[in-house]
Amino acid sequence: MTSMNDHDLAVWLAEQAGAELLEVRRTGLEGKALKDAGDAASQAVLARLLAEHRPEDAVLSEEAADDSARRSARRVWIIDPLDGTREFSEPPRDDWAVHVALWEDGDLVAGAVAQPALGETFSTARPATVPPRTDGPMRIAVSRSRPPAFVDALAAKTGAQLVPMGSAGVKVMSVVRDLADVYVHAGGQYEWDSAAPVVVARVAGLFTSRADGRALEYNRDSPWLPDLLVCRHEFADEVAAFVRDHGDDS
């Protein structure tokens, strides 16, 4: 695996962690105990495999202490061992994911988003092809439990349809999969929430930016990156302009 290219390694890492998470789900744990066990198990797999196969690279993970040395590193793996912990803890839900991305020399260069319960991995190793859009209203992926008010306002203005679902990675992949046209979020995210989904969406030909259209930047001093827009290019200007003009919930 050490000689594997970064794109294929990202896929393998995400799938190994995903397989472990499926095993954790079979233990019979419930609620917080299942959430905690999933977070810990996936982090352990990813940390061990990255240390073994990319020992010189830095790592930024949701489930580990942030080492400031990553700021001077050329290569940083940005990982979310379990994106959508709540959904993971509610079998048989499949809208949770494992994120593995590589940042190198200033930008994201490789990544994978595994949806283990769906049996799918989306990656830069095998870029997805987004099919042509069918007729109908704009479809916006939103949180099933706490959709932001500004998205309701955007939908009211544009006549868009809101499509509720789980984790951030799943929402971005819904645009890749043509289940939605837009995912716009503001008010609370970190780099590990979006890094892998963003690089996978980019190679699929989708538009990615901050919610108001500004460029996304990763491996910054603070990993806080609170907003995101991933969409088909034909909707990018309209959605970003709405956020700039009307604000958001952050």
Side-chain angles (χ1 to χ4, degrees):
M1 297 299 172
T2 304
S3 61
M4 183 182 289
N5 71 57
D6 293 322
H7 304 280
D8 289 335
L9 182 66
V11 171
W12 182 72
L13 291 169
E15 291 182 346
Q16 293 298 303
E20 183 69 15
L21 285 165
L22 291 175
E23 287 298 318
V24 172
R25 252 191 171 188
R26 297 186 186 104
T27 60
L29 293 171
E30 296 180 350
K32 186 177 185 300
L34 180 55
K35 293 177 183 179
D36 292 346
D39 283 334
S42 186
Q43 169 64 26
V45 168
L46 292 172
R48 175 175 56 82
L49 294 177
L50 281 168
E52 181 178 353
H53 299 293
R54 292 293 188 270
E56 302 301 319
D57 294 349
V59 179
L60 172 63
S61 172
E62 179 178 15
E63 300 300 328
D66 187 5
D67 184 350
S68 62
R70 66 176 173 80
R71 292 292 291 119
S72 57
R74 284 191 57 247
R75 291 166 52 92
V76 181
W77 292 89
I78 303 176
I79 62 174
D80 189 343
L82 177 50
D83 179 55
T85 310
R86 176 177 175 178
E87 289 73 24
F88 171 77
S89 73
E90 298 175 354
R93 294 196 69 95
D94 61 20
D95 48 347
W96 51 276
V98 178
H99 297 178
V100 178
L102 174 63
W103 176 96
E104 182 174 13
D105 292 334
D107 205 358
L108 300 171
V109 297
V113 176
Q115 289 186 239
L118 192 65
E120 294 277 0
T121 301
F122 306 91
S123 73
T124 57
R126 291 171 289 280
T129 300
V130 180
R133 185 177 184 273
T134 55
D135 292 336
M138 180 196 306
R139 299 163 298 170
I140 305 176
V142 296
S143 169
R144 65 189 179 99
S145 58
R146 48 187 183 281
F150 86 93
V151 174
D152 286 333
L154 173 62
K157 178 183 178 183
T158 62
Q161 173 188 356
L162 300 183
V163 185
M165 61 188 72
S167 77
V170 168
K171 294 186 189 77
V172 175
M173 292 308 102
S174 76
V175 185
V176 173
R177 298 170 62 201
D178 192 34
L179 302 177
D181 302 304
V182 174
Y183 171 47
V184 58
H185 174 86
Q189 275 190 345
Y190 289 87
E191 292 188 10
W192 46 73
D193 292 309
S194 66
V198 160
V199 71
V200 170
R202 284 178 181 172
V203 300
L206 295 170
F207 177 86
T208 66
S209 74
R210 298 284 299 271
D212 60 4
R214 287 178 293 162
L216 290 160
E217 297 180 11
Y218 291 87
N219 196 35
R220 301 162 308 138
D221 288 336
S222 168
W224 179 249
L225 187 59
D227 54 77
L228 175 67
L229 170 60
V230 176
C231 64
R232 289 177 177 267
H233 283 267
E234 58 262 41
F235 297 115
D237 289 343
E238 180 180 16
V239 175
F242 183 90
V243 173
R244 290 194 299 271
D245 293 344
H246 299 276
D248 54 48
D249 303 326
S250 57

